[in-house]
């Protein structure tokens, strides 16, 4: 008797017996692997977006699409797939600034500079405020930074500020916080941590509660 014949139901109807599901151990390992991989790739894509915006968006969108397909299409957990998808989009919004702020405040090189121009371009898309700063020492470089680099109108032309420069030269300098911006980095990091746990938890739940069809 061949393998295909052995799968025929005992009642002789010719219907194949249902496939056995994964063991508890294998299911748990797979669920944990996806629960770690999805948030890590989302954080990586968000960080890349601070360097090359379009590339970071492509990475994040690809990760969300694959996660939604696996959780909703393969594991048949539509609710978990929806949760992870919305959580992934929210994580993209907060993780990028959180990574940038934490990186620049910890390893960024402090440089004295002067604000030479502040402009509100009133754009419908993207940041509106742009600040032009010029270094007072070093190579006396001039940079135009946006709200992404903390230009929110807290500095005026002629103000001397201490900017933070990326030692690798990949990211634009960051302007210092104003007095009313205290703890913004900590708040952004806390929200990022909560969203990361939400995405990881939704992915793990979907993996553990998967339906074999």
């Amino acid at each position: 008797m061949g393998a295909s014949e052995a799968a025929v139901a005992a009642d002789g109807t010719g219907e194949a017996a249902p496939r056995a599901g994964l063991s508890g151990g294998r299911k748990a390992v797979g669920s944990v692997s996806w629960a770690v991989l999805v948030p890590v790739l989302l954080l990586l894509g968000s960080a890349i977006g601070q360097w090359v915006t379009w590339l970071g968006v492509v990475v994040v969108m690809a990760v969300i699409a694959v996660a939604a397909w696996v959780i909703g299409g393969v594991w048949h957990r539509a609710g978990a797939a929806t949760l992870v998808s919305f959580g992934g989009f929210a994580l993209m919004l907060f993780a990028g600034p959180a990574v940038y702020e934490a990186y620049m405040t910890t390893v960024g090189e402090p440089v004295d500079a002067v604000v030479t121009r502040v402009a509100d371009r009133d754009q419908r898309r993207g940041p509106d405020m742009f600040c032009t700063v010029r270094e007072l020492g070093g190579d006396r470089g001039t940079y135009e930074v946006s709200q992404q680099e903390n230009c929110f109108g807290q500095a005026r032309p002629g103000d001397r500020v201490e900017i933070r420069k990326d030692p690798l030269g990949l990211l634009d300098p960051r302007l210092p916080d104003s007095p009313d911006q205290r703890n913004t980095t900590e708040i952004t990091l806390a929200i990022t941590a909560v969203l990361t746990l939400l995405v990881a938890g939704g992915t793990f739940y979907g993996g553990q509660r998967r339906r074999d069809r």
Side-chain angles (χ1 to χ4, degrees), residues 44-93:
L44 177 62
S46 300
I48 293 175
Q50 297 297 302
W51 174 40
V52 183
T53 302
W54 68 266
L55 181 58
V57 171
V58 168
V59 172
V60 170
M61 294 295 290
V63 173
I64 292 175
V66 171
W69 174 73
V70 170
I71 301 172
V74 179
W75 295 345
H76 305 288
R77 303 304 305 192
T82 302
L83 175 65
V84 171
S85 297
F86 280 101
F89 283 116
L91 183 60
M92 175 180 63
L93 297 177

Side-chain angles (χ1 to χ4, degrees), residues 198-211:
L198 180 66
V199 171
T203 305
F204 180 78
Y205 173 82
Q208 287 296 96
R209 303 288 294 178
R210 71 186 70 178
R211 298 189 183 102

Side-chain angles (χ1 to χ4, degrees), residues 7-150:
V8 176
D11 60 3
T13 61
E15 295 180 356
R19 294 181 302 173
L22 294 175
S23 64
R26 291 179 61 190
K27 182 183 291 186
V29 171
S31 301
V32 170
S33 299
W34 279 99
V36 172
L37 183 64
V38 171
V40 167
L41 291 179
L42 288 174
L43 292 173
L44 177 62
S46 300
I48 293 175
Q50 297 297 302
W51 174 40
V52 183
T53 302
W54 68 266
L55 181 58
V57 171
V58 168
V59 172
V60 170
M61 294 295 290
V63 173
I64 292 175
V66 171
W69 174 73
V70 170
I71 301 172
V74 179
W75 295 345
H76 305 288
R77 303 304 305 192
T82 302
L83 175 65
V84 171
S85 297
F86 280 101
F89 283 116
L91 183 60
M92 175 180 63
L93 297 177
F94 286 94
V99 172
Y100 171 76
E101 292 174 17
Y103 173 74
M104 295 300 284
T105 54
T106 54
V107 303
E109 299 175 352
V111 176
D112 291 330
V114 61
V115 179
T116 59
R117 186 170 182 266
V118 178
D120 185 352
R121 299 181 181 175
D122 193 22
Q123 296 179 350
R124 292 185 177 181
R125 298 180 180 179
D128 294 335
M129 299 295 299
F130 290 85
C131 300
T132 304
V133 295
R134 186 181 69 248
E135 293 183 58
L136 294 176
D139 55 8
R140 295 187 178 275
T142 300
Y143 311 94
E144 183 182 64
V145 298
S146 66
Q147 291 180 1
Q148 183 173 323
E149 291 80 39
N150 206 34

Side-chain angles (χ1 to χ4, degrees), residues 174-195:
R174 183 178 188 273
L175 285 171
D177 293 334
S178 63
D180 59 352
Q181 287 180 298
R182 294 176 181 176
N183 301 322
T184 54
T185 299
E186 290 79 3
I187 294 173
T188 306
L189 287 172
I191 296 175
T192 300
V194 171
L195 291 173

